[in-house]
């Protein structure tokens, strides 16, 4: 299966800061009482944006000191952006003191792991951002992306340079998570299939028929994977991948009781 299709849009602009934006409270759903959930969209190697968003989350969380805090990272930490290694360093450092953490598996992490085991996925992975990931670990491709010898050399080198803690992090990622009326999965779910019976492939890769489905999935699905310029609010799903690696906009969806709002990095685009 190919990696994410190129979104076909070009974004530019440097990060200028962070802003909070209120949103319509639809779809109607509730987080568990006493819990504030921070769901972070696809990071894709933008360690700079992640650090800024973490500062905004900590500032926001200070206003509800008595509530439990949970941050759910929706997956796709690696590829495309320049600093995949830095992103994982930040995440394994547990930078949000006093928070509980959930780290979901994205299709890019799954493919990175596949490349460590076999080079057959290599040319596709490199084409959709894997080369940037290798470079962040000090691995430079010595030939064409579809050259088996170059792929084997890159695989051998990344195996030796990937820190054990990073490999353990990647292997320990979860496929989904549920809290209250919300279900979190990287790409979404297969309509008509019970949430507890969703396949790993769909949770990490699905686009259609999920994106256009109006079905009630049993919970509101919070997902990334499919890029949109604005956060997508539908009665049955909320899409939070705003193309951070190129747009400079990394999104955090905040869920508190029956309210939904956004924290985002900002740019001049």
């Amino acid at each position: 299966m190919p990696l994410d299709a190129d979104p076909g849009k070009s974004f530019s602009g440097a990060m200028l800061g962070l802003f909070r934006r209120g949103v319509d409270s639809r779809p109607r759903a509730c987080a568990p009482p006493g819990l504030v959930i921070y769901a972070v969209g696809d990071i894709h190697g933008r360690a700079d944006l992640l650090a800024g968003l973490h500062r905004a989350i900590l500032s926001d969380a200070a206003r509800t000191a008595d509530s439990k805090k949970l941050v759910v990272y929706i997956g796709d930490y690696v590829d495309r952006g320049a600093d995949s290694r830095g992103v994982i360093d930040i995440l394994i450092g547990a930078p949000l003191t006093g928070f509980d953490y959930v780290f979901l598996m994205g299709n890019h992490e799954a493919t990175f792991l596949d490349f460590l085991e076999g080079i057959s996925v290599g040319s596709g992975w490199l084409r959709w951002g894997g080369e940037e990931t290798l470079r962040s670990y000090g691995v430079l491709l010595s030939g064409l992306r579809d050259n088996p010898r170059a792929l084997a050399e890159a695989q051998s080198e990344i195996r030796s340079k990937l820190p054990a803690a990073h490999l353990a992090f990647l292997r320990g990622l979860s496929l989904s998570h549920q809290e209250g009326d919300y279900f979190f999965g990287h790409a979404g779910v297969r309509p008509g299939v019970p949430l507890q019976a969703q396949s790993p492939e769909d949770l990490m890769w699905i686009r259609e028929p999920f994106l256009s489905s109006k079905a009630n999935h049993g919970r509101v699905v919070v997902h990334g994977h499919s890029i949109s310029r604005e956060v997508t609010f539908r009665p049955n799903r909320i899409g939070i991948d705003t193309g951070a690696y190129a747009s400079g906009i990394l999104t955090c969806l905040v869920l508190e009781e029956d309210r939904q709002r956004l924290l985002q990095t900002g740019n001049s685009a």
Side-chain angles (χ1 to χ4, degrees), residues 3-10 80 127-128 207 227 245:
L3 281 171
D4 302 20
D6 191 302
K9 299 290 184 181
S10 177
R80 293 180 168 169
R127 186 172 298 110
W128 298 113
R207 295 192 196 278
I227 295 173
Y245 73 96

Side-chain angles (χ1 to χ4, degrees), residues 112-263:
F112 185 13
L113 287 171
D114 286 344
F115 179 72
L116 293 172
E117 300 299 324
I119 64 171
S120 62
V121 301
S123 60
W125 177 56
L126 294 174
R127 186 172 298 110
W128 298 113
E131 193 164 352
E132 288 83 352
T133 295
L134 290 178
R135 193 176 297 119
S136 76
Y137 287 96
V139 178
L140 301 179
L141 198 65
S142 60
L144 298 176
R145 290 172 179 165
D146 57 356
N147 182 313
R149 180 173 179 177
L151 291 173
E153 290 175 351
Q155 181 199 58
S156 176
E157 191 173 357
I158 188 61
R159 282 175 173 175
S160 67
K161 290 186 174 180
L162 185 67
H166 287 213
L167 181 59
F169 172 82
L170 293 168
R171 287 177 171 170
L173 298 173
S174 301
L175 288 171
S176 65
H177 186 73
Q178 298 184 58
E179 291 286 350
D181 295 331
Y182 295 98
F183 179 91
F184 303 86
H186 172 67
V189 299
R190 175 74 54 179
V193 176
L195 293 178
Q196 66 273 18
Q198 293 289 323
S199 71
E201 181 176 9
D202 282 335
L203 289 168
M204 291 186 290
W205 290 91
I206 198 168
R207 295 192 196 278
E208 294 296 353
F210 168 68
L211 295 177
S212 60
S213 174
K214 297 181 179 179
N216 183 338
H217 304 302
R219 286 179 168 84
V220 174
V221 179
V222 179
H223 67 95
H225 186 59
S226 296
I227 295 173
S228 58
R229 287 184 177 271
E230 302 286 341
V231 173
T232 303
F233 287 90
R234 298 287 183 269
N236 60 356
R237 69 178 181 90
I238 305 174
I240 60 173
D241 182 1
T242 44
Y245 73 96
S247 71
I249 301 173
L250 178 60
T251 292
C252 175
L253 172 68
V254 187
L255 305 170
E256 183 178 7
E257 298 178 343
D258 64 348
R259 301 188 297 276
Q260 301 151 357
R261 52 197 172 81
L262 302 176
L263 301 175

Side-chain angles (χ1 to χ4, degrees), residues 2-22:
L3 281 171
D4 302 20
D6 191 302
K9 299 290 184 181
S10 177
F11 298 87
S12 64
M15 186 175 91
L16 297 180
L18 293 141
F19 61 90
R20 286 177 53 175
R21 186 172 70 191

